[in-house]
Amino acid sequence: MRVRSIGLLAVALGLLLVAERAAAFPIVFDGEGGFGLSAATAAAAEADGVPIVDVDQIHTAAALGLTIPAPDVLSSELVDDPSVSNPNRATSEWSVTNSGQGGLSDAWLVFLYPTDYTPSEVGFEIDGDDGWIVVSVFAGGSYYFYPAHSLGDLAPSDTTDFLMRHLVGEPLHEDGNELVLPQYAVGAVEGIPLPEPHVLALAALGLGLAAILRRRSA
């Protein structure tokens, strides 16, 4: 019994380390009509450690008093013949300010669809350990899935920043001599606590142990 217990402990620790090392998951806007993510992409992101959270409604950013200036581009890595499997890459920094009169609690910025590129050719990396989730909303008889980044708690006039790692599977648009990254229609939700990485890791650990125990009892 002691040897078996040590073996299970070793497997448990291994699963925990794998959960903690989950890499960022690349998404594109492959949902129906270019809106959000397909159910398959959302499920794949969830399997990679990005939680799916059900919400009743997605508000406009303006309805929650959010001000979002054009993001600053920090870096880029361009390729000669971009595709979804070999995309142009860039990192931008987003700043979001609560310009409303009241405070926001557990707020999230929701990315609905790109406004100036082919949706299924563009996206970005999301990581459950880096403040990303997928929100699911039921409307018109169907479920829709959208990536969302945590804004946390924002008192009036507070600003929060986060990085976005863009993936663009087509040539970047040009504005004069400048290359233009995708722009997005966004919404917002609040009242969703940030899932803690160690909680997600333990959830994965529990599923792995349950599978091991089922195999042993079979």
Side-chain angles (χ1 to χ4, degrees), residues 2-209:
R2 181 173 299 172
V3 172
R4 179 177 298 179
S5 298
I6 292 173
L8 285 174
L9 178 59
V11 171
L13 290 174
L15 287 169
L16 184 59
L17 289 173
V18 168
E20 289 180 345
R21 289 197 302 265
F25 185 80
I27 57 100
V28 294
F29 284 80
D30 58 354
E32 185 176 352
F35 290 86
L37 313 178
S38 67
T41 294
E46 183 180 37
D48 200 65
V50 181
I52 297 177
V53 179
D54 293 330
V55 299
D56 294 328
Q57 181 181 5
I58 297 174
H59 304 279
T60 65
L64 294 189
L66 299 179
T67 300
I68 310 167
D72 293 327
V73 180
L74 304 181
S75 64
S76 61
E77 179 184 339
L78 307 182
V79 298
D80 291 333
D81 188 19
S83 64
V84 170
S85 60
N86 183 38
N88 291 312
R89 297 174 179 269
T91 300
S92 65
E93 182 177 37
W94 288 63
S95 293
V96 182
T97 299
N98 178 9
S99 300
Q101 299 298 313
L104 298 176
S105 177
D106 294 322
W108 297 76
L109 187 65
V110 183
F111 292 84
L112 304 174
Y113 57 91
T115 61
D116 53 353
Y117 279 81
T118 306
S120 60
E121 298 291 326
V122 302
F124 40 83
E125 293 180 336
I126 58 179
D127 188 338
D129 289 348
D130 192 31
W132 287 97
I133 61 172
V134 172
V135 297
S136 168
V137 60
F138 187 76
S142 299
Y143 283 96
Y144 294 87
F145 303 92
Y146 303 98
H149 195 279
S150 173
L151 304 177
D153 298 333
L154 290 175
S157 299
D158 276 0
T159 297
T160 187
D161 302 324
F162 65 91
L163 299 181
M164 178 184 286
R165 295 174 176 84
H166 302 262
L167 307 171
V168 185
E170 60 186 34
L172 293 179
H173 297 174
E174 296 184 22
D175 182 7
N177 294 324
E178 295 185 355
L179 296 175
V180 181
L181 289 177
Q183 300 180 43
Y184 297 90
V186 296
V189 296
E190 65 172 330
I192 302 175
L194 179 68
E196 297 183 18
H198 72 271
V199 172
L200 299 176
L202 289 175
L205 170 63
L207 292 174
L209 285 177

